Amino acid sequence: MNVKEMLTIGTFFLCVSCTSNIDLGTPVEQVTINRIDSMPDIPVTYQMLDWKKKARDFDKFVFDWENTSKVGPLIWLDNARRNIDQPTFGLYTAVKDIRQGKNVNNGEFHESLNSLAAILGAGLVGIDKTNQDGYNYVKMAQNYFNSDTGWNIVMNNTTSSVGSKGGGYGRDWWYDVLPNALYYAVCDVFPGVDGAESIQKSIAEQFTKADSVLNGNYDYSYFDYGKMRGGINHIPFQQDVAGGHAYVLLCAYRKFGDVRYLNHSKSAIEALLSQKESRFYEALLPLGVYTAAYLNATEGANYDVQKLLNWVFDGCKSPTGRTGWGIIVGKWGDYDVSGLQGSITDGGGYAFLMNSIKPAWPFVPMVKYQPQYAKAIGKWMLNNASACRLFYPGYIDEKHQWAPELKDITNNNIAYEGLRKFDDYGKESLKGVSPVAIGDGPKWIDGNPTESMFSVYSSSPVGILGAIVDTTNVKGILKLDCNATDFYASRPYPVYLYYNPYDIDEHINYQTKQAVDLFDIVSKKYVARGISKDGVFTIPAKEACIIVELPAGTELSLDGKHIWANKQYIISQYFGKFLPKD
């Protein structure tokens, strides 16, 4: 060893020794989620895909106007010019869906839940959707802003004339709220697109008015944002829409700074928490969980995040709600399926890919604000991200597929819509087979072909996993990007969640392009200092850490419950556990 190497090592240990004397608070005690505790620490059938590549391949396949595969082009131009005087585009909801295409229903039946998720997912993995093959898809998606109807929010279709062809338009509440959360996310990934800000402002104003009118009572099947009144039909009440309102209004507050949006975000969360039981319906409750966690950390609120998380994972048990909708736990046949979202009870269980991907969007960034859930969310993500591969025909045995003869038609880019514990079509060859990759497409309309089991809308948010999930040198230990989907939040430094499922400490390689220090906001300690290219840090057995990557030499200080970096950025703002009111 030469003198230079000895001096470098000496300096490194001196820095570690000095910082070890700085009191940055006590370690964060981890809080368990009972249903996550029932999941395996690591799935026996664990396999992790390269989700970023999966997302890029999906985008290339679906946005190919000259697609020469067996399914043909999945995109077309819609020149009806609804709401905004510009052409837009349509994507098939499912492969060969007979309701769709440029020559069916005037070319106008396409869904924002699909298109916006595809744009968002692509943007998250680095694809510029504002300038791709001569199209600005982000601008084109503005036609979903329904000004012609007077609702003045982003809706699932561009016009009510095709609203009855598919799900939700103006009659199923979550369908009218989730597109606005997606639109806000898209606008954060692709800022500065002409016309976007006025649409965002309108959405925020409409949601503010709606929350004011609702005044804590979300007992409705849908809400008319034009007439500002709730409605009741055959669809169960969707009180968890309050979580969607709260999330969008929080994003609006962080973008525009209007305190009215913050106040109504809070009142919507309070309406959500006022429920006596889980009203988890489709996709919005997890957004409410994130919002409550963020408000606890940044606004000194005292919202019961634990209750909301249990409502998601345990699912809705009310006979008046979407009974059984929650997070699946267990093994179906030889396959681990823990972590997937869908019906816990329908035919023994029915998981959906879109719904399994979407909770990662709010839950992974949530741990920055409520780090007591780092271990629980890390474990859930390990199970969920592994099991999500089972929807793709290339990653589940042919005998577990409803249509194995079609498995190659999309080159493994489009997944089956769902994964059932048992087939519900009554196919003879699938009797006793579990699980079965499957889809509801043939049930939507008479004549829809078997190919419609392959679901574009289910596959479109895959970029969320692509942006969040990365592997490490240790099989089964993931590097989860906590900033990727933390839209409109301050993100001064990279932040990653790691979970160690093993009974022994594991050493994780860490690569960086500049000299950095690694600080864990769970243990409140540095795990490595002065890494200039390649380094290593240790995760204790069966524990999780939330690593903040800081420029080397960054000075940390404790001010109350906040840990500051160079007295400029807050990197930890944990206010402790929920305290029930007396």
Side-chain angles (χ1 to χ4, degrees), residues 158-203:
T158 60
T159 172
S160 59
S161 66
V162 296
S164 63
K165 303 296 180 185
Y169 187 96
R171 65 188 187 277
D172 192 353
W173 205 350
W174 77 272
Y175 269 104
D176 298 323
V177 174
L178 184 56
N180 296 277
L182 284 165
Y183 188 73
Y184 257 82
V186 165
C187 290
D188 189 49
V189 175
F190 297 105
V193 173
D194 184 46
E197 191 165 291
S198 63
I199 290 175
Q200 290 179 273
K201 191 75 172 178
S202 176
I203 292 166

Side-chain angles (χ1 to χ4, degrees), residues 332 346-350 399-403 419-440 443 453:
W332 293 349
D346 183 358
Y350 189 9
K399 67 180 180 180
H400 291 280
Q401 298 183 44
W402 207 94
L419 188 73
R420 273 194 175 274
K421 187 171 185 179
F422 297 107
D423 170 42
D424 68 332
Y425 283 90
K427 192 173 186 179
E428 186 67 27
S429 62
L430 291 172
K431 285 185 177 180
V433 175
S434 180
V436 177
I438 202 167
D440 288 338
K443 300 178 183 178
M453 287 189 175

